Amino acid sequence: MLKFSILGALQIRTVSGPAEISGDLQRTLVQTLLVSEGQPVSGESLVEEMWGDAVPDNQANALQAHVSRLRRKLRGLEPGRAGSRVTMHPSGYRLLVTEGELDAAEFVRAVRQAESASPQDAEHTARLLGGALAQWRGPVFGGFTGGTLCQLAGARYEEYRMRAMELRFDAELRLGRHAAVLAELTEAHTNHPLRERFCEQLMIALYGSGRQADALDVFRRMRRHLDDELGIQPSPALRQVESAILCHDPALAGDVRSSLLQLA
């Protein structure tokens, strides 16, 4: 069994340790097949992803040579495997990846599970997403994004990462761990200054830590930033959190199991 990791630089782990995929074209080929998550990718799409505008004269033979090289590489990593992981279909090439073998697919599964969880399951959600987020070793593909298909996949996984962070912070705040997540929330808000949800959560965490003035200052700075960058006003949800802080809404200091974050 192989483990494929793309939440960071491309990595393939075997029972005996990590294996390296050498060469930009080979890495692009593997990454493109992986982000399709088991669905065939057409030869034309693979050629465009690997070579862009610098397509070789005999593109079909060049692609086939790289596919054959990848087959040999993977076969060497799994000598006991009955068939090849890379197969050809009428609609293109497919890399067989089963459940549990691709970190990005496991990560997305965890986020979807958290999205459907009850607010009363905050402890489980916090643990689930804490473990899922720990799989990230850096930007998708380690920043080696390749062509359009890989770039779109990278953006999709990054959005799931942001969603996972939001859901985890929600769970931690429901559990009353305001001070414990302050540093992470501050970093998230700083790195994504236009993402209002992080701002809302940071304000709630500051207020819950006894720092009302700091919470309101975060709102004021966010309002100026939105006006300067986008020419818009804060969303109703963000303004509602500010209003709740100003009037010391009891919901902000309610039972740790209550739905504190309904305000946002």
Side-chain angles (χ1 to χ4, degrees):
M1 181 177 181
L2 300 179
K3 291 278 191 177
F4 299 90
S5 299
I6 60 175
L7 302 181
L10 174 64
Q11 186 180 85
I12 302 177
R13 285 171 289 158
T14 72
V15 292
S16 57
E20 182 181 353
I21 297 294
S22 59
D24 289 353
L25 290 174
Q26 279 286 291
R27 286 200 299 275
T28 301
L29 174 60
V30 174
Q31 289 176 180
T32 306
L33 291 172
L34 285 173
V35 298
S36 71
E37 297 187 10
Q39 298 302 310
V41 183
S42 70
E44 292 82 0
S45 295
L46 286 172
V47 167
E48 183 176 348
E49 198 77 3
M50 293 169 68
W51 285 283
D53 295 331
V55 179
D57 292 335
N58 197 330
Q59 55 182 304
N61 286 349
L63 175 60
Q64 186 57 51
H66 277 281
V67 170
S68 298
R69 179 181 167 190
L70 177 59
R71 282 197 182 108
R72 290 194 299 271
K73 175 69 174 181
L74 296 179
R75 190 179 303 119
L77 298 178
E78 292 181 297
R81 187 179 181 87
S84 174
R85 277 187 179 265
V86 183
T87 56
M88 187 174 181
H89 301 264
S91 53
Y93 293 91
R94 176 173 178 253
L95 174 59
L96 178 62
V97 179
T98 58
E99 186 173 334
E101 291 185 334
L102 177 61
D103 62 349
E106 292 302 296
F107 180 77
V108 170
R109 189 175 294 112
V111 176
R112 289 175 177 168
Q113 183 180 341
E115 286 179 325
S116 63
S118 166
Q120 284 68 43
D121 294 332
E123 186 68 59
H124 172 71
T125 297
R127 287 198 306 270
L128 172 68
L129 293 177
L133 286 162
Q135 295 182 80
W136 285 75
R137 298 170 288 109
V140 180
F141 312 125
F144 180 78
T145 52
T148 303
L149 293 178
C150 287
Q151 290 167 13
L152 290 173
R156 183 173 71 250
Y157 292 134
E158 276 292 342
E159 184 57 34
Y160 270 110
R161 185 185 193 181
M162 295 300 100
R163 181 62 176 148
M165 292 170 68
E166 292 173 348
L167 290 169
R168 178 178 162 257
F169 289 141
D170 279 353
E172 297 286 4
L173 293 173
R174 284 195 178 94
L175 293 166
R177 299 170 184 165
H178 301 80
V181 295
L182 265 179
E184 291 177 86
L185 265 172
T186 301
E187 182 180 11
H189 177 53
T190 300
N191 292 338
H192 306 278
L194 295 177
R195 200 170 183 99
E196 290 191 50
R197 187 62 181 144
F198 288 147
C199 182
E200 296 165 14
Q201 293 171 317
L202 178 57
M203 290 169 64
I204 292 171
L206 285 166
Y207 180 83
S209 302
R211 298 169 57 182
Q212 178 181 355
D214 290 336
L216 294 172
D217 185 57
V218 166
F219 175 81
R220 285 190 289 270
R221 286 188 280 111
M222 181 67 170
R223 181 173 56 194
R224 287 196 300 269
H225 192 64
L226 289 171
D227 186 38
D228 292 343
E229 294 293 323
L230 302 176
I232 62 173
Q233 293 298 306
S235 67
L238 187 54
R239 294 198 301 270
Q240 192 173 3
V241 172
E242 182 213 19
S243 177
I245 291 172
L246 285 169
C247 68
H248 300 280
D249 193 310
L252 288 170
D255 184 84
V256 296
R257 294 290 179 178
S258 68
S259 184
L260 296 177
L261 300 168
Q262 285 181 357
L263 290 165

